[in-house]
Amino acid sequence: MKYEISNRMSDLQGSAIREIFKYAADPEVISLAGGNPAPELFPNEELSKIAERVLREQPVLALQYGITEGYPVLREAVKARLAAKENIGREGDDLIIVSGGQQGIELATKVLVNEGDAVVIEEPSFIGATNAFRSYGAELLGVPVEEDGMNIDALEKVLSEHENVKMIYTIPTFQNPMGVTMSVEKRHRLYETAKRHGVLILEDNPYGELAFDGVKTPTIKSFDEDGIVMYSGSFSKILAPGLRLGFFCAPKEIVQKVVVAKQCADVHTAMLPQILAAEFLKEYDIDALIVRMRANYAHKCATMLSAMEQYFPKDVSFTRPGGGLFIWCELGHGLDTLALSKEAVKEKVVFVPGNTFMADISKPCSALRLNYSTMTDERIVEGIRRLGIVFEKALAAK
Amino acid sequence: MKYEISNRMSDLQGSAIREIFKYAADPEVISLAGGNPAPELFPNEELSKIAERVLREQPVLALQYGITEGYPVLREAVKARLAAKENIGREGDDLIIVSGGQQGIELATKVLVNEGDAVVIEEPSFIGATNAFRSYGAELLGVPVEEDGMNIDALEKVLSEHENVKMIYTIPTFQNPMGVTMSVEKRHRLYETAKRHGVLILEDNPYGELAFDGVKTPTIKSFDEDGIVMYSGSFSKILAPGLRLGFFCAPKEIVQKVVVAKQCADVHTAMLPQILAAEFLKEYDIDALIVRMRANYAHKCATMLSAMEQYFPKDVSFTRPGGGLFIWCELGHGLDTLALSKEAVKEKVVFVPGNTFMADISKPCSALRLNYSTMTDERIVEGIRRLGIVFEKALAAK
């Protein structure tokens, strides 16, 4: 039988990052590709105690069906935390617990975007989100990202030229893949521009708590008096990604439809991860854990940057993140980093080629993304050394 | 701002069952509505020990990102179990772990069904599945269900009259909501009919292991030599639903696209539930647990049936299931069970009105679904007694 795949899915390929994970399973391979948090920081002893106790003492809560909106204790704790730390959550907003930040993005798209509608993305942007948009037949309109975030003049131009834009997707803080942060001034301009054009904003903020200096930049959602911002958050980078826990805060009318879409998607998020997070927030000090993460990532980022200065050809340029997990590298000279990534695999080091993050992934790209959170110092330095050799060779052949 | 919901989602309402759950939270309410397994059978002590150990000893496995296809140990265990017990898994098939059986159905729909394509459903059928189909803009074509399963002549007629049918959705064993089982002869006729028309079958089998007499009816997937059957399975009814664990077995080309869709949906299923299931299968005797479930449900079903004989008006007819969780009741006399369900709430007993399970939920329906797995014997009898009064009154008013 010939299987006819739906129009929305027929051209969609798996994320290159997920494919690269398969190489990364080889312990000899140095992976600078994924976005895996530092495993040495997982609070596994604490979670082990909570899991043992909850399953023993509250079997019905932990193992029976739950409600689609999320475990009420966790939902209230997340709402309180967002209100206190981010000034998020107005009268007209609601919040749903989702199975990872990814699910909030996917369900918002299902609920809002018709086939043929457009979504404005930062270019480059997170492949998980851009693929979710593609999977509902959305047209992607790219807006360039600068050192201080999205180019708002370019955004204005795109919105003026397109009638079919449904939402603007942005990762304003420690952007994936560039590692840059949008200035406060640009956040306000972005908000006002979206408002003027009657377009929703989807603000994705998985790395907001991971500023090396601990200083928070106000979220766009924090000044959402008009109910035009949807906010996607995650426990993946502040607790553990394997739990698949995120949250989605948006105007009530949108959240209500997201609840219906989530009933269809997975009924509700698994109870045990929800209870683990809720109990961890209650019994332990997640802020202290986040402080340790910041220090760890600041150190690893500095280690990677100094290795890049030592080993990379002199005209390779790169970002200098103030937090998050990623550095963006520009090789220039018309190099194609997709081809280079295959050379790098031979040297047992992997990264994500830049084309992955573009609206049109088929165009060659001379940039690439590096991750510093996953590997040890030693492997970061060795990985960068090997990449330096690959890049030198490629440039010499030009 | 006025929020424009996508065409696919704008008319879709939440499942009535999930709404009824909100009443069921009142401990005085007797819920015959949900499909919750018997909580007294959850192997929570065993799962508590596994969770404590795994989180302590294997933090990276339990808490880091996993692969989209599923935890390899669980995936292999499920494949082996399906091969041994159900003769499922041909050369051309593959299997993915999903976040509950519901997710397999939703992702298969996303991958295969264009807006305007039709899906044939048994009428009545499972609201979770029919809403997943609706959420991708599918047209639903109902085929009546008889004591021995779907009416295959009616199916033949529907397929002859419609060019746009993408798949046939069936729950052949202990059907939800009717509790009936498709005969082996009809399973073969269904398979041959689908094959002749070039239409896929989506076989949903969450209750297949719950035959009161322990006798298995061969699955349709077990005679799939042509690669036309997709099979959705679940741990919800044989282990615990709060884990949100299911599996989806289908031809490789379809599973590959489902993997891409799952990357967009939730990246992967939460690791801890997957590891709990894998370790439980390895260390404990799940078949012994299932034997206890069968005995429990057989007893509760008999309790409910005998209470129905005692308390229901004489001309109410109902199915007599050989397994699963549900009894289907027909009141006749043009009664509208949606209206009656509101009367029942006043008596603090809830059930699911039959219209919920139909292709067109707006048409009044005189049937309803009763669940016997969740409540104790005492509450089952008391719930049926109260319903008997509600039904007597309604009939007397006719």
Side-chain angles (χ1 to χ4, degrees), chain A residues 322-343:
Chain A
L325 310 185
F326 304 112
I327 297 171
W328 183 249
C329 257
E330 179 57 69
L331 303 188
H333 300 280
L335 286 173
D336 175 5
T337 52
L338 180 60
L340 279 186
S341 71
K342 287 161 195 166
E343 295 305 308

mmCIF file of all heavy atoms in Angstrom, chain A residues 322-343:
data_model
loop_
_atom_site.group_PDB
_atom_site.id
_atom_site.type_symbol
_atom_site.label_atom_id
_atom_site.label_comp_id
_atom_site.label_asym_id
_atom_site.label_seq_id
_atom_site.Cartn_x
_atom_site.Cartn_y
_atom_site.Cartn_z
ATOM 1 N N GLY A 322 25.127 36.388 27.727
ATOM 2 C CA GLY A 322 25.078 36.722 29.146
ATOM 3 C C GLY A 322 24.329 35.689 29.952
ATOM 4 O O GLY A 322 24.080 35.869 31.144
ATOM 5 N N GLY A 323 23.960 34.583 29.291
ATOM 6 C CA GLY A 323 23.215 33.526 29.971
ATOM 7 C C GLY A 323 22.729 32.506 28.952
ATOM 8 O O GLY A 323 23.067 32.591 27.772
ATOM 9 N N GLY A 324 21.947 31.541 29.429
ATOM 10 C CA GLY A 324 21.412 30.526 28.522
ATOM 11 C C GLY A 324 22.414 29.438 28.228
ATOM 12 O O GLY A 324 23.332 29.190 29.023
ATOM 13 N N LEU A 325 22.282 28.804 27.064
ATOM 14 C CA LEU A 325 23.038 27.586 26.755
ATOM 15 C C LEU A 325 23.867 27.642 25.476
ATOM 16 O O LEU A 325 24.602 26.701 25.193
ATOM 17 C CB LEU A 325 22.077 26.391 26.603
ATOM 18 C CG LEU A 325 21.030 26.100 27.672
ATOM 19 C CD1 LEU A 325 20.304 24.804 27.341
ATOM 20 C CD2 LEU A 325 21.655 25.995 29.046
ATOM 21 N N PHE A 326 23.724 28.725 24.664
ATOM 22 C CA PHE A 326 24.235 28.646 23.302
ATOM 23 C C PHE A 326 25.126 29.815 22.880
ATOM 24 O O PHE A 326 24.913 30.951 23.298
ATOM 25 C CB PHE A 326 23.063 28.575 22.310
ATOM 26 C CG PHE A 326 22.118 27.440 22.583
ATOM 27 C CD1 PHE A 326 20.818 27.691 23.017
ATOM 28 C CD2 PHE A 326 22.524 26.122 22.429
ATOM 29 C CE1 PHE A 326 19.943 26.649 23.285
ATOM 30 C CE2 PHE A 326 21.646 25.063 22.695
ATOM 31 C CZ PHE A 326 20.350 25.336 23.129
ATOM 32 N N ILE A 327 26.078 29.497 22.002
ATOM 33 C CA ILE A 327 26.889 30.506 21.306
ATOM 34 C C ILE A 327 26.661 30.329 19.805
ATOM 35 O O ILE A 327 26.586 29.198 19.310
ATOM 36 C CB ILE A 327 28.395 30.321 21.628
ATOM 37 C CG1 ILE A 327 28.649 30.545 23.124
ATOM 38 C CG2 ILE A 327 29.265 31.263 20.782
ATOM 39 C CD1 ILE A 327 30.069 30.170 23.574
ATOM 40 N N TRP A 328 26.543 31.440 19.100
ATOM 41 C CA TRP A 328 26.334 31.431 17.655
ATOM 42 C C TRP A 328 27.612 31.891 16.983
ATOM 43 O O TRP A 328 28.193 32.897 17.372
ATOM 44 C CB TRP A 328 25.181 32.381 17.318
ATOM 45 C CG TRP A 328 24.731 32.482 15.895
ATOM 46 C CD1 TRP A 328 24.897 33.560 15.077
ATOM 47 C CD2 TRP A 328 23.982 31.515 15.148
ATOM 48 N NE1 TRP A 328 24.297 33.326 13.861
ATOM 49 C CE2 TRP A 328 23.734 32.075 13.879
ATOM 50 C CE3 TRP A 328 23.511 30.231 15.419
ATOM 51 C CZ2 TRP A 328 23.019 31.393 12.879
ATOM 52 C CZ3 TRP A 328 22.805 29.559 14.437
ATOM 53 C CH2 TRP A 328 22.568 30.129 13.187
ATOM 54 N N CYS A 329 28.061 31.109 16.000
ATOM 55 C CA CYS A 329 29.333 31.335 15.334
ATOM 56 C C CYS A 329 29.125 31.629 13.865
ATOM 57 O O CYS A 329 28.420 30.872 13.190
ATOM 58 C CB CYS A 329 30.097 30.025 15.348
ATOM 59 S SG CYS A 329 31.356 29.935 16.505
ATOM 60 N N GLU A 330 29.760 32.630 13.366
ATOM 61 C CA GLU A 330 29.661 32.974 11.941
ATOM 62 C C GLU A 330 31.024 32.739 11.295
ATOM 63 O O GLU A 330 32.008 33.369 11.692
ATOM 64 C CB GLU A 330 29.207 34.436 11.834
ATOM 65 C CG GLU A 330 29.061 34.971 10.435
ATOM 66 C CD GLU A 330 28.090 34.162 9.563
ATOM 67 O OE1 GLU A 330 26.877 34.186 9.824
ATOM 68 O OE2 GLU A 330 28.588 33.502 8.617
ATOM 69 N N LEU A 331 31.079 31.818 10.303
ATOM 70 C CA LEU A 331 32.355 31.509 9.653
ATOM 71 C C LEU A 331 32.593 32.385 8.426
ATOM 72 O O LEU A 331 33.734 32.627 8.033
ATOM 73 C CB LEU A 331 32.409 30.037 9.231
ATOM 74 C CG LEU A 331 32.212 28.990 10.323
ATOM 75 C CD1 LEU A 331 32.501 27.596 9.759
ATOM 76 C CD2 LEU A 331 33.113 29.248 11.520
ATOM 77 N N GLY A 332 31.502 32.809 7.798
ATOM 78 C CA GLY A 332 31.645 33.636 6.594
ATOM 79 C C GLY A 332 32.283 32.873 5.429
ATOM 80 O O GLY A 332 32.255 31.628 5.391
ATOM 81 N N HIS A 333 32.821 33.618 4.464
ATOM 82 C CA HIS A 333 33.549 33.050 3.312
ATOM 83 C C HIS A 333 32.711 32.061 2.521
ATOM 84 O O HIS A 333 33.247 31.146 1.881
ATOM 85 C CB HIS A 333 34.858 32.376 3.758
ATOM 86 C CG HIS A 333 35.798 33.325 4.448
ATOM 87 N ND1 HIS A 333 36.603 34.187 3.749
ATOM 88 C CD2 HIS A 333 36.024 33.567 5.757
ATOM 89 C CE1 HIS A 333 37.315 34.913 4.602
ATOM 90 N NE2 HIS A 333 36.975 34.557 5.834
ATOM 91 N N GLY A 334 31.385 32.199 2.590
ATOM 92 C CA GLY A 334 30.527 31.305 1.808
ATOM 93 C C GLY A 334 30.619 29.842 2.204
ATOM 94 O O GLY A 334 30.252 28.954 1.435
ATOM 95 N N LEU A 335 31.107 29.579 3.395
ATOM 96 C CA LEU A 335 31.189 28.180 3.843
ATOM 97 C C LEU A 335 29.794 27.633 4.139
ATOM 98 O O LEU A 335 28.896 28.359 4.546
ATOM 99 C CB LEU A 335 32.069 28.082 5.091
ATOM 100 C CG LEU A 335 33.567 28.239 4.828
ATOM 101 C CD1 LEU A 335 34.324 28.293 6.146
ATOM 102 C CD2 LEU A 335 34.093 27.080 3.962
ATOM 103 N N ASP A 336 29.635 26.333 3.944
ATOM 104 C CA ASP A 336 28.355 25.671 4.204
ATOM 105 C C ASP A 336 28.534 24.787 5.445
ATOM 106 O O ASP A 336 29.192 23.741 5.394
ATOM 107 C CB ASP A 336 27.963 24.841 2.973
ATOM 108 C CG ASP A 336 26.707 24.019 3.220
ATOM 109 O OD1 ASP A 336 26.094 24.153 4.301
ATOM 110 O OD2 ASP A 336 26.339 23.233 2.327
ATOM 111 N N THR A 337 27.949 25.205 6.547
ATOM 112 C CA THR A 337 28.184 24.485 7.808
ATOM 113 C C THR A 337 27.500 23.116 7.859
ATOM 114 O O THR A 337 27.872 22.280 8.672
ATOM 115 C CB THR A 337 27.754 25.331 9.029
ATOM 116 O OG1 THR A 337 26.412 25.780 8.825
ATOM 117 C CG2 THR A 337 28.685 26.513 9.222
ATOM 118 N N LEU A 338 26.515 22.898 6.975
ATOM 119 C CA LEU A 338 25.911 21.559 6.910
ATOM 120 C C LEU A 338 26.960 20.562 6.414
ATOM 121 O O LEU A 338 27.138 19.475 6.988
ATOM 122 C CB LEU A 338 24.687 21.568 5.989
ATOM 123 C CG LEU A 338 23.953 20.237 5.830
ATOM 124 C CD1 LEU A 338 23.429 19.715 7.154
ATOM 125 C CD2 LEU A 338 22.797 20.373 4.834
ATOM 126 N N ALA A 339 27.687 20.946 5.355
ATOM 127 C CA ALA A 339 28.777 20.095 4.854
ATOM 128 C C ALA A 339 29.866 19.950 5.920
ATOM 129 O O ALA A 339 30.384 18.849 6.166
ATOM 130 C CB ALA A 339 29.355 20.694 3.567
ATOM 131 N N LEU A 340 30.187 21.066 6.574
ATOM 132 C CA LEU A 340 31.229 21.032 7.611
ATOM 133 C C LEU A 340 30.852 20.139 8.782
ATOM 134 O O LEU A 340 31.715 19.524 9.416
ATOM 135 C CB LEU A 340 31.487 22.445 8.138
ATOM 136 C CG LEU A 340 32.396 23.330 7.299
ATOM 137 C CD1 LEU A 340 32.659 24.647 8.043
ATOM 138 C CD2 LEU A 340 33.715 22.621 7.003
ATOM 139 N N SER A 341 29.536 20.061 9.078
ATOM 140 C CA SER A 341 29.118 19.244 10.225
ATOM 141 C C SER A 341 29.444 17.780 9.963
ATOM 142 O O SER A 341 29.721 17.024 10.899
ATOM 143 C CB SER A 341 27.632 19.440 10.527
ATOM 144 O OG SER A 341 26.829 18.840 9.529
ATOM 145 N N LYS A 342 29.450 17.380 8.690
ATOM 146 C CA LYS A 342 29.804 15.988 8.366
ATOM 147 C C LYS A 342 31.312 15.752 8.527
ATOM 148 O O LYS A 342 31.734 14.676 8.963
ATOM 149 C CB LYS A 342 29.312 15.648 6.957
ATOM 150 C CG LYS A 342 27.787 15.492 6.958
ATOM 151 C CD LYS A 342 27.130 15.617 5.596
ATOM 152 C CE LYS A 342 25.635 15.814 5.791
ATOM 153 N NZ LYS A 342 24.954 16.280 4.563
ATOM 154 N N GLU A 343 32.108 16.780 8.187
ATOM 155 C CA GLU A 343 33.549 16.690 8.434
ATOM 156 C C GLU A 343 33.819 16.592 9.939
ATOM 157 O O GLU A 343 34.697 15.840 10.388
ATOM 158 C CB GLU A 343 34.266 17.937 7.885
ATOM 159 C CG GLU A 343 34.202 18.080 6.374
ATOM 160 C CD GLU A 343 34.718 16.838 5.655
ATOM 161 O OE1 GLU A 343 35.846 16.392 5.963
ATOM 162 O OE2 GLU A 343 33.959 16.300 4.811
#
